[in-house]
Amino acid sequence: MSRSSAAPLAVAIGLGAVALGGLALALSPRSRVEVRRAGVLVADTLTDWMDTLIAHTAAHEGTFSSVQRNLDGQGVSYGILQWTQRGGGLSDVLGAMRSADPSTFDATFGGPGSAARMLAAVQARALAPVDGANLWDPPWLDRFVAAGTIPAFQGAQRELAKRGAHMQGAVAIAKLLGVSSERALVVCYDRTVHQGVSGATGPAQRLVALYASGSHPRPTSEIQVLAEYGWLCAAKFRRATAPPSPWYNDDHTIAWVQVAPGTGEVNLKLVGTQRVALVREVPPGPVWHGVTGPWDLWDLILTRSYEPLVDQKLRDTPVARS
């Protein structure tokens, strides 16, 4: 992996997040559970937090019918969490949708034969055409859109979003970082969805190791911990030395692009112990950002990490994790 920027840990978050679609989830009542002993409150946890996580993240990802058409080299990205064809998530969500209603699924995707061939290609993470067409082109494109309107398939998407690898990874990262609020889980979940569980776990491990080494004391507030975690998630997509080649990764889906001199870049700054600010600053020297399709990943990750830190609708009460 290329060497990332040596900029300070708590600097910068970016403007310019791209929302690929909204999601109107029917949220359960905002609820919490209080546990009292001898009249004293000893525990207070939220029970409806998963719906909040999904709605917040889906606002950046998509609706039940959203299809991203291979803009980033991932093939089809589909649904409320934009499960990807190349990454394997599309196979998971389509499998869950078919299990929910096999006959309707087959009919929606061109009949049993076509549906089976499509599923086999997706399971293999292949981007080759199926029945003579790419999955992100008609007639497949229209079939994905139609499937997203069917209640049984919407339920399958929602259930996978609640019980799948992204949620499990977010809970594990929050535990690793020692954070537990709804706000914190939103940050962790958004990172596992956007960067994958492995891509979101690595920065958390590095941050915890940094705290343990004593070289960077652990902040006193959860907001600061989350801001530093978000910054590290973005850091591998920023470098202050010229890349050895134009490509960041082996499959040529991410390219290094130099930030135009004098234009500045977004950054996240800590303000006291409880606040963060989104700023744009001109770096002291040349910098390169990782870019996939139309998206600058440094800007996008920092922006998406910043937004829940200042969202007044999110709660700072611990969630109920079982």
Side-chain angles (χ1 to χ4, degrees), residues 194-213:
H194 187 223
Q195 293 183 259
V197 174
S198 177
T201 301
Q205 293 171 331
R206 290 192 291 276
L207 185 58
V208 170
L210 191 62
Y211 293 157
S213 72

Side-chain angles (χ1 to χ4, degrees), residues 122-149:
V122 169
Q123 289 166 1
R125 305 189 183 189
L127 303 190
V130 177
D131 291 356
N134 294 319
L135 294 187
W136 52 88
D137 291 329
W140 295 109
L141 175 63
D142 303 320
R143 294 166 181 171
F144 278 109
V145 172
T149 67

Side-chain angles (χ1 to χ4, degrees), residues 41-86:
L41 179 66
V42 295
D44 184 4
T45 58
L46 303 175
T47 60
D48 60 340
W49 55 279
M50 284 189 179
D51 285 335
T52 304
L53 268 60
I54 296 168
H56 194 284
T57 300
H60 288 283
E61 296 292 329
T63 67
F64 292 112
S65 292
S66 293
V67 182
Q68 181 180 296
R69 302 177 60 192
N70 198 33
L71 294 179
D72 53 3
Q74 298 297 317
V76 166
S77 298
Y78 182 61
I80 58 175
L81 298 189
Q82 290 290 280
W83 288 277
T84 66
Q85 187 174 350
R86 185 189 288 273

Side-chain angles (χ1 to χ4, degrees), residues 141-181:
L141 175 63
D142 303 320
R143 294 166 181 171
F144 278 109
V145 172
T149 67
I150 297 171
F153 300 157
Q154 293 177 356
Q157 286 193 35
R158 189 183 292 110
E159 188 63 21
L160 182 61
K162 285 185 176 183
R163 309 299 174 190
H166 295 123
M167 187 67 73
Q168 296 173 27
V171 170
I173 289 170
K175 183 177 181 180
L176 178 64
L177 293 174
V179 295
S180 59
S181 69

Side-chain angles (χ1 to χ4, degrees), residues 176-188:
L176 178 64
L177 293 174
V179 295
S180 59
S181 69
E182 178 182 75
R183 185 182 310 279
L185 266 294
V186 165
V187 172
C188 296

